[in-house]
Amino acid sequence: MTTFTAFTKTRGKAPAEAIGEALEFLDPEPTGVGVFEIEDGSGLWEVGAYFTEAPDEIALALLAKANDAPDFVISELPETDWVAKVRRDLAPVEAGRFFVYGSHDVDKLPADKIGLLIEAAMAFGTGHHGTTLGCLKALDRLMGEGKSFDNVADIGCGTAVLAMAAAKISDQIVYASDIDEVAVEVAQSNVDANDLSGRVICLEAAGFNHEVLAEKAPFDLVFANILKGPLVALAPDMAGNVKPGGHVILSGILNPQADEVVEVYTRTGFNLVDRQEIVDWTTLTMERNAS
């Protein structure tokens, strides 16, 4: 099936949301609409829509003009089996002792690596993105330093690849939470596919706001691979849910944003242990003050 896309940008959340809401009432109507803040400090928001029929270009132009936005960029995408294409294009990823792969590459799993099976069709976090790769490398580095972790949480878990990595190096239960119901379902599917049912507990929660997480805190390791804004907002709760001497691995941070995140977490009682850049993204490893 041919797909059409239409994208524009606007300054500020309110006009972006207004455009996104108005798109729902177009004829032909879109099959999906997205409104996203561009995380580069510009203050710009992107609004996009997907159509199975050619969109009404005049209606889109009027909508953009009414909200002081640039004209929509309209594109036609050819018929493509996207899952098959992704499977072909995404090779297995090695991150220290971890090996992230799809089922089509099961025969490539080295005997000396810890395998993490993530299907290409499933959500964010295949291991190819610099943020996920950075987190896996940070965990591998801590392990190489002789660290061990018995109480781990993965906040904003996506596919749960980080929670599964932690579960495979420990005999303890790992807790994986995400604010998105679909992400939690995807996470559970991956947990089952990796024979980790009961070893990784998947929860729907905003941050640490879940009775199970409250009961199990404080943690000695917390992953948070989200975005700068939520990471900054989460800092006080992070301090309250990580034990003294415990570690956090933070990512989803564009390189220019990293100093601000370090500053906020330093003020809430964390010390920077390691900072790694992979292309445009920074991963931070920080340790909570012992006192």
Side-chain angles (χ1 to χ4, degrees):
M1 179 182 296
T2 301
T3 300
F4 298 85
T5 63
F7 286 90
T8 188
K9 296 177 183 178
T10 187
R11 185 165 298 280
K13 181 179 180 180
E17 290 182 337
I19 294 173
E21 183 176 352
L23 282 168
E24 300 281 1
F25 297 96
L26 291 184
D27 183 20
E29 63 181 300
T31 57
V33 174
V35 179
F36 306 97
E37 183 179 11
I38 300 174
E39 289 282 329
D40 61 359
S42 66
L44 293 175
W45 287 66
E46 184 174 70
V47 186
Y50 293 82
F51 300 82
T52 54
E53 301 177 55
D56 185 335
E57 295 188 26
I58 295 175
L60 288 174
L62 291 173
L63 179 56
K65 185 175 180 60
N67 290 274
D68 196 26
D71 287 340
F72 280 85
V73 176
I74 301 170
S75 302
E76 180 179 348
L77 304 180
E79 294 186 31
T80 304
D81 184 342
W82 290 105
V83 171
K85 175 175 171 52
V86 169
R87 283 177 170 167
R88 287 195 303 270
D89 292 350
L90 294 187
V93 171
E94 290 191 42
R97 67 202 71 198
F98 299 106
F99 187 88
V100 186
Y101 66 100
S103 59
H104 56 292
D105 283 322
V106 65
D107 58 325
K108 298 178 182 177
L109 175 61
D112 61 342
K113 297 291 183 180
I114 298 172
L116 298 166
L117 171 61
I118 303 290
E119 285 297 356
M122 291 184 173
F124 174 83
T126 62
H128 295 78
H129 197 274
T131 59
T132 309
L133 181 59
C135 289
L136 289 171
K137 287 187 172 183
L139 176 60
D140 180 70
R141 187 164 45 253
L142 289 173
M143 291 171 59
E145 295 170 358
K147 302 286 194 307
S148 61
F149 305 100
D150 296 324
N151 194 18
V152 180
D154 182 3
I155 304 299
C157 65
T159 60
V161 62
L162 302 176
M164 294 191 301
K168 290 202 173 188
I169 61 170
S170 169
D171 294 330
Q172 305 300 316
I173 293 174
V174 176
Y175 300 90
S177 71
D178 201 287
I179 195 171
D180 182 75
E181 179 182 359
V182 174
V184 176
E185 294 174 359
V186 168
Q188 186 62 59
S189 296
N190 282 325
V191 167
D192 295 342
N194 283 268
D195 297 323
L196 290 170
S197 301
R199 296 278 319 287
V200 176
I201 305 300
C202 300
L203 308 166
E204 184 178 346
F208 291 95
N209 188 22
H210 195 286
E211 59 184 8
V212 172
L213 297 175
E215 177 187 348
K216 299 302 178 181
F219 298 94
D220 53 15
L221 175 64
V222 173
F223 297 101
N225 180 15
I226 39 182
L227 290 170
K228 185 210 78 173
L231 282 176
V232 168
L234 194 61
D237 283 346
M238 194 73 78
N241 285 278
V242 175
K243 73 178 185 180
H247 288 77
V248 295
I249 296 176
L250 312 175
S251 199
I253 308 163
L254 289 166
N255 295 336
Q257 301 171 339
D259 287 341
E260 180 182 348
V261 177
V262 171
E263 180 183 353
V264 170
Y265 275 77
T266 299
R267 289 202 307 266
T268 54
F270 290 88
N271 295 317
L272 182 63
V273 173
D274 185 76
R275 175 174 179 160
Q276 179 180 204
E277 294 184 2
I278 299 179
V279 192
D280 296 327
W281 301 92
T282 294
T283 299
L284 303 171
T285 303
M286 304 191 75
E287 181 178 5
R288 190 180 167 209
N289 294 338
S291 58

